[in-house]
Amino acid sequence: MKKNAFIKQLAEFCEFSETDFSFDTKLKSIDGYDSMAIMSMIAFVDENFSIKITATQINALSDFNSLMNLLGKEKFEDD
Amino acid sequence: MIDLTGKNILITGASSGLGRAISQTVASQGATVFLSGRNETRLKETLNSLSGVGHFVFPGDIANFSIIEQLTKSIIEKGIKMHGFVHSAGIEKTLPFKSSYPIVFQEIFNTNVFAGFEFARLLSQKNIANTEGASFVFISSVKGKLGAPFNVAYCASKSSLIAGSKAIAMELASKKIRSNCVLPGIVETEMVQGLFTSIPIEVKENIIKEHPLGLGKPEDVAALVAFLLSDEARWITGAEYIIDGGYSIH
Ligand SMILES: NC(=O)c1ccc[n+]([C@@H]2O[C@H](COP(=O)([O-])OP(=O)(O)OC[C@H]3O[C@@H](n4cnc5c(N)ncnc54)[C@H](OP(=O)(O)O)[C@@H]3O)[C@@H](O)[C@H]2O)c1
């Protein structure tokens, strides 16, 4: 998946108020990043990558880059 | 002290958590236990932990309903009459509602609801149900009454058990078959370990705080189930028992 498309789709799925973020946007700084968003991220990752991540793992992430690293860098392409 | 001597009791979900604790409790009170679960090794661990002898294990996936028929058939072939049934097998999925597709409901309902009612249907038949009466106990959840976020399909399944159990209670009362539901709050089992890793930490902390007496232990629930299976509970049917350390007070 293209990195920017991933971030955009994830942001839409989580219903953040905006969808344009850079790779190093701090997750916790996003408007609307709450427990509902965390559960949505878990579901999005499961549905699109068949990978089960936990809320504890998400809590330890800083930005979108670290999320993509967690899922496996090889799954993403530069735009 | 509850006495279940001479009673034959089938328990689903016996390889883990509440089902295992219920099996241990009723065996210690004299019952012969018929253990159902998927994981054969863990089912045998339960078997080895039981007091008394002559218990049976029936490994198999009960979401495949033909297994239920095979299992009850093998009991009938042994000429055994059943006095009790506990449906503790259950699965839980923590998901936002937007990801709760029909297939998620289907999977959860197959095990939590349909398998339980299929067991009850077969066990209530004349050739297997004890003629002096029998007791069915469905392990629902306090969430089946109150709801909970990220748990729509699970809550719906647990609520279905309550309504179905009441209907069974009414229909089978003339056969002296009682049917009741137990609605636990959070009990420390493997299911809950799974739940606690999948939810955000603040949600977990809130859940713990909301149980004034703290989280439950499997044997707390087992004691109530054993009572409902016993003759002491002969006038109780169609009831729903919340056992939740005070979670539902507010
Ligand atoms: N723990 C709680 O806080 C809590 C609260 C309220 C209600 N409950 C309810 O209490 C019941 C027991 O929960 P628990 O905490 O003891 O859960 P658990 O430790 O996860 O055990 C679940 C049991 O269900 C069995 N099972 C699941 N799917 C099955 C299938 N398709 N075929 C056969 N067996 C199957 C499992 O067998 P295998 O492991 O062999 O696959 C296991 O023995 C569940 O119905 C749950 O919803 C639990």
Side-chain angles (χ1 to χ4, degrees):
Chain A
M1 190 184 267
K2 296 249 197 275
K3 286 181 178 176
N4 277 318
F6 166 71
I7 294 176
K8 209 175 174 68
Q9 284 174 30
L10 177 63
E12 271 166 14
F13 192 79
C14 293
E15 299 179 36
F16 294 144
S17 45
E18 55 174 309
T19 54
D20 285 326
F21 297 104
S22 58
F23 304 154
D24 57 5
T25 301
K26 298 275 170 268
L27 297 176
K28 287 176 185 150
S29 72
I30 297 172
D31 187 25
Y33 185 82
D34 55 12
S35 56
M36 177 60 140
I38 293 177
M39 296 310 295
S40 298
M41 282 170 78
I42 294 172
F44 181 87
V45 166
D46 190 15
E47 281 171 31
N48 289 278
F49 298 89
S50 301
I51 298 176
K52 304 223 178 293
I53 53 171
T54 65
T56 316
Q57 283 174 301
I58 294 195
N59 248 328
L61 299 173
S62 52
D63 51 19
F64 288 104
N65 254 331
S66 58
L67 173 59
M68 289 186 276
N69 287 341
L70 176 70
L71 301 181
K73 277 188 204 148
E74 67 288 352
K75 298 195 174 66
F76 299 94
E77 301 156 33
D78 289 323
D79 291 75
Chain B
M1 163 90 181
I2 306 269
D3 184 11
L4 298 173
T5 307
K7 291 200 188 294
N8 297 317
I9 297 171
L10 194 152
I11 299 169
T12 67
S15 50
S16 178
L18 297 184
R20 175 175 280 176
I22 295 164
S23 305
Q24 290 163 339
T25 300
V26 302
S28 74
Q29 292 163 348
T32 301
V33 192
F34 296 65
L35 306 162
S36 151
R38 274 178 308 200
N39 183 318
E40 204 165 338
T41 312
R42 292 175 49 83
L43 209 52
K44 290 205 172 123
E45 276 168 27
T46 304
L47 177 71
N48 294 334
S49 72
L50 301 184
S51 354
V53 288
H55 308 292
F56 298 86
V57 285
F58 293 103
D61 181 348
I62 60 170
N64 169 6
F65 307 133
S66 64
I67 292 282
I68 303 175
E69 198 162 352
Q70 283 169 27
L71 197 161
T72 47
K73 211 168 150 204
S74 74
I75 297 175
I76 293 167
E77 281 165 3
K78 292 187 179 81
I80 294 171
K81 296 284 184 176
M82 299 302 292
H83 304 79
F85 165 59
V86 181
H87 185 50
S88 187
I91 50 173
E92 187 270 350
K93 277 187 195 288
T94 311
L95 282 176
F97 186 39
K98 65 182 146 204
S99 296
S100 299
Y101 306 105
I103 192 163
V104 173
F105 281 81
Q106 188 72 55
E107 194 190 336
I108 291 186
F109 270 69
N110 278 347
T111 300
N112 294 12
V113 183
F114 303 150
F117 291 153
E118 177 60 359
F119 264 112
R121 185 182 76 80
L122 291 166
L123 292 172
S124 62
Q125 291 179 6
K126 209 173 162 188
N127 53 359
I128 188 165
N130 173 45
T131 40
E132 300 302 306
S135 170
F136 297 164
V137 181
F138 296 93
I139 308 298
S140 171
S141 165
V142 75
K143 290 183 184 175
K145 258 332 248 179
L146 304 181
F150 314 121
N151 250 181
V152 176
Y154 178 78
C155 292
S157 76
K158 292 300 176 181
S159 174
S160 298
L161 281 180
I162 299 171
S165 165
K166 285 181 197 284
I168 290 171
M170 293 195 76
E171 189 167 332
L172 302 186
S174 61
K175 287 180 155 185
K176 297 202 192 86
I177 295 178
R178 300 182 290 106
S179 179
N180 293 289
C181 271
V182 167
L183 285 59
I186 300 282
V187 183
E188 292 178 71
T189 66
E190 282 184 14
M191 179 182 276
V192 166
Q193 282 164 15
L195 169 78
F196 278 171
T197 56
S198 63
I199 57 177
I201 187 104
E202 64 275 14
V203 179
K204 172 184 159 182
E205 281 166 0
N206 263 340
I207 292 176
I208 296 174
K209 258 195 244 145
E210 283 166 358
H211 287 73
L213 292 181
L215 301 185
K217 299 256 177 288
E219 48 279 20
D220 298 332
V221 178
L224 173 59
V225 174
F227 167 69
L228 290 170
L229 290 167
S230 76
D231 294 338
E232 310 299 309
R234 64 187 160 267
W235 204 48
I236 301 176
T237 196
E240 44 188 279
Y241 283 86
I242 288 178
I243 172 164
D244 66 356
Y247 173 80
S248 57
I249 297 172
H250 293 290

